[in-house]
Amino acid sequence: DFVTSINVLHNFYNYDLDKSLKEIERVAQSKKNTSWLTLSGMSVRGSIFFTGSLRANVFIPGGSGSGFLKKADTEGITVSFIMNESYDFVIVGAGIVGLTVARALSLRRLGSVCLLEKEKKLGLHSSGRNSGVLHAGIYYPADTLKARVCVSGAKRMFEYALEHGISVKKTGKVIVAPDAVSAAQIDVLYDRAAANGVRIEKIDKKQLKEIEPEAQTFEKALYSPDTAVIDSKGVLQKFEEEILGLGVR
């Protein structure tokens, strides 16, 4: 199935909803074997969510695929309309960012939330297919937003995993230098970690071998005892369970 969301209010005809819906209906009715659910009388604010097999001109907002002319490979069009009511917030994409934004909005009771996802289940892309590393906050300069978010976020995610039974483990991490030039960066990262309040140790070759026998370095390395790994799909599943309980559609 070709699945996408079309932001009709912001991407068609300068915010003109009537023209947007008429154009979508015109394209659909021009195709053979068309099954179309009437859009008239629907209350829509934000995004329209379509599922099914599309061979039509649609707008895909954002990302490298952004543009007006994008066609599916299958013939005919089958449209399912699920947004027949208004929402205060519509979030496109149920990856880790979309899920956490939906959760934050719901916990703050800022309004009704609808979360749209094109896939049939969560975690089929980068949010569920990654190393699962919870970085301690070594790499970013002090007093930057990335440093603050990484350090505090890693601690909060670790605690969340323990609280909700998600697999997580503090494995630690070593950072090595393959040559003399990169060895200078060891000192830079050490200073950044210290400034960010991250536990970090500068170790020699012997200490490195004790921690990770297969690793090699030029003179010195860093050891981060608080770097952890987490079940990223487990996080997604728990967030989904939580936001559904909070009333997110």
Side-chain angles (χ1 to χ4, degrees):
D1 287 347
F2 177 81
V3 187
T4 188
S5 64
I6 303 175
N7 193 323
V8 293
L9 293 185
H10 298 289
N11 296 312
F12 285 107
Y13 300 111
N14 296 320
Y15 305 91
D16 192 321
L17 178 59
D18 290 334
K19 287 185 178 180
S20 300
L21 297 180
K22 287 178 181 178
E23 173 63 13
I24 296 171
E25 191 167 9
R26 182 194 67 77
V27 172
Q29 292 178 345
S30 68
K31 305 300 177 183
K32 296 180 180 180
N33 303 319
T34 297
S35 175
W36 184 259
L37 184 61
T38 303
L39 296 175
S40 60
M42 308 296 278
S43 174
V44 182
R45 183 171 77 241
S47 294
I48 296 179
F49 184 60
F50 294 96
T51 68
S53 300
L54 296 181
R55 189 177 180 83
N57 296 328
V58 297
F59 189 91
I60 312 299
S64 59
S66 179
F68 185 70
L69 298 176
K70 184 175 179 63
K71 295 185 178 181
D73 295 327
T74 53
E75 187 171 358
I77 176 171
T78 303
V79 179
S80 300
F81 197 103
I82 64 168
M83 282 192 70
N84 58 358
E85 57 188 74
S86 295
Y87 295 92
D88 296 302
F89 300 95
V90 174
I91 302 167
V92 180
I96 189 66
V97 174
L99 289 166
T100 51
V101 169
R103 178 177 179 270
L105 291 171
S106 300
L107 288 174
R108 288 164 174 77
R109 302 185 183 280
L110 296 178
S112 57
V113 181
C114 181
L115 180 59
L116 309 180
E117 171 56 44
K118 68 177 183 177
E119 303 292 359
K120 295 180 179 179
K121 61 181 180 179
L122 300 181
L124 295 184
H125 299 287
S126 57
S127 292
R129 296 181 175 181
N130 57 70
S131 63
V133 175
L134 287 180
H135 293 280
I138 298 170
Y139 301 102
Y140 305 119
D143 299 324
T144 62
L145 179 60
K146 285 185 176 181
R148 294 197 300 272
V149 170
C150 186
V151 174
S152 63
K155 293 178 181 177
R156 292 174 63 186
M157 182 59 77
F158 189 86
E159 293 169 357
Y160 183 88
L162 292 179
E163 179 182 354
H164 295 283
I166 301 170
S167 296
V168 65
K169 183 179 181 181
K170 283 191 178 182
T171 58
K173 176 174 68 175
V174 292
I175 302 174
V176 300
D179 51 44
V181 175
S182 56
Q185 190 67 13
I186 293 292
D187 296 323
V188 173
L189 294 178
Y190 178 85
D191 292 339
R192 285 182 182 177
N196 291 335
V198 176
R199 286 203 303 160
I200 193 75
E201 299 175 25
K202 196 177 294 186
I203 59 177
D204 56 26
K205 289 183 177 182
K206 181 179 179 181
Q207 292 170 308
L208 175 63
K209 288 295 182 183
E210 293 173 353
I211 298 171
E212 177 48 71
E214 299 299 323
Q216 298 183 22
T217 192
F218 182 87
E219 293 185 352
K220 53 190 174 183
L222 293 177
Y223 173 55
S224 168
D226 293 326
T227 298
V229 289
I230 193 169
D231 176 8
S232 55
K233 287 189 177 180
V235 174
L236 299 179
Q237 291 164 1
K238 188 60 188 179
F239 278 168
E240 179 186 27
E241 176 186 325
E242 189 173 1
I243 66 173
L244 289 176
L246 291 169
V248 174
R249 283 286 303 279

